[in-house]
Amino acid sequence: MTEQQTTTESVPLSSLSLDQLVQLSQGLGRKADAIREQRAHLKRLIDARLAAGERDGDAQRTASDGNATAAGAVIEASAT
Amino acid sequence: MSSLIFNRALELWARGSIDFDTDSFKVMLTTSAYTEDKDAHDFRNDVTNEVSGTGYTAGGNSVTVSVTLDTANDRVDISLGGTTWTSSTITARKAVYYKARGGASSADELVAVNDFGSDVVTSSGTFTLNASTMRIQN
C-alpha cells in the first residue's frame, strides 16, 4: 500500500489570477448548492414528521417539581 | 391536528387590520378538546375548551410580538412571544394567539395555534410557554 498524503498550502487571495478566483467562487457555489439541497431534503423529512404529530420527547414534560415547558413552533405560510 | 395560522389573520394582515408591530396580543391555553379550524375560526369566541385551574386566568397572558425581515432567506418572521404561568396547576395541549382589543371575545382576531403534540401539565409549578415563530416564506 502506498500511503497518500495531502498537503494544504495557504495562498493569499490577492495573489490569485482572475480565472482562479472565478474557479474558486464557482467551487464554493457548487458546495453551497449541495448543502442547500441537503437542507431542503432534511426540511421535507422534518415537515413530514411534524405533520404526523411527532415531537421531541423532552419538549414537554412535567418535572418532579411540578414545572413544565411547552415547546414553541415554527408555523409557516408560503407565498409561493 | 397541528399548529397553524388562521386564514383570517393573514387576510386582516394584508388589509392592514392587524399590525404585528404595534397591536396588543395575548395567548390563551386550551385542552386537547379544542379542535381548531383555520377557515371557520376567526375570533376568540370560536375557541372552546380553554383551560381552567390554579394560576391561570381566562383569556391568558399578554405576549410580545415582533416582526423581522430576513432577506437572506426571503421571508418574514413574526415572533409570537412566550410567557409563564407561575404557581399553576393546569393541563394544556394548545396555545392560541390572538389580537387583544380589550373588550368582547367576539372582537379579538385569532392569529395562530401552537399544538404541543401532547398535554403539558403543571402541578403547583411554573408553566413555561416558549416563543413560536409565524413565518411567511416568499
Side-chain angles (χ1 to χ4, degrees), chain B:
Chain B
M1 302 297 288
S2 58
S3 302
L4 57 80
I5 301 168
F6 292 100
N7 286 334
R8 180 60 68 89
L10 293 175
E11 181 206 4
L12 294 177
W13 183 40
R15 292 183 186 279
S17 298
I18 291 181
D19 187 330
F20 287 109
D21 269 332
T22 59
D23 291 342
S24 297
F25 295 88
K26 296 183 80 171
V27 63
M28 61 192 290
L29 300 174
T30 75
T31 69
S32 59
Y34 169 56
T35 301
E36 61 276 14
D37 184 326
K38 70 192 305 184
D39 292 318
H41 292 185
D42 44 12
F43 291 96
R44 182 160 64 95
N45 60 341
D46 294 319
V47 180
T48 61
N49 299 100
E50 183 173 12
V51 304
S52 62
T54 302
Y56 182 86
T57 302
N61 285 358
S62 296
V63 291
T64 299
V65 174
S66 60
V67 180
T68 303
L69 172 63
D70 183 348
T71 56
N73 294 295
D74 301 323
R75 65 196 183 202
V76 174
D77 281 347
I78 300 163
S79 172
L80 306 172
T83 186
T84 59
W85 286 269
T86 58
S87 304
S88 63
T89 299
I90 49 179
T91 297
R93 169 64 183 264
K94 303 173 185 183
V96 181
Y97 287 86
Y98 64 93
K99 174 175 172 175
R101 292 182 177 272
S105 60
S106 57
D108 292 341
E109 297 91 341
L110 298 178
V111 175
V113 176
N114 173 13
D115 185 336
F116 311 142
S118 61
D119 283 346
V120 178
V121 182
T122 55
S123 178
S124 300
T126 298
F127 188 112
T128 300
L129 172 65
N130 288 338
S132 290
T133 299
M134 201 169 116
R135 176 164 293 161
I136 314 298
Q137 183 69 53
N138 191 15

Side-chain angles (χ1 to χ4, degrees), chain A:
Chain A
M1 293 287 290
T2 303
E3 187 175 333
Q4 290 187 332
Q5 290 188 327
T6 302
T7 302
T8 301
E9 183 180 358
S10 296
V11 178
L13 292 176
S14 58
S15 70
L16 297 179
S17 68
L18 180 58
D19 280 347
Q20 288 173 317
L21 284 175
V22 169
Q23 287 174 12
L24 186 60
S25 175
Q26 289 175 335
L28 290 174
R30 283 191 290 273
K31 287 182 181 176
D33 289 343
I35 291 172
R36 198 171 291 116
E37 287 176 11
Q38 291 172 350
R39 187 163 180 257
H41 177 63
L42 284 175
K43 184 179 183 305
R44 285 193 292 273
L45 292 176
I46 292 168
D47 287 347
R49 292 173 65 164
L50 287 175
E54 182 177 344
R55 296 290 189 278
D56 285 343
D58 60 355
Q60 50 270 326
R61 63 189 175 206
T62 302
S64 57
D65 57 4
N67 299 329
T69 299
V74 177
I75 314 166
E76 291 200 26
S78 175
T80 56

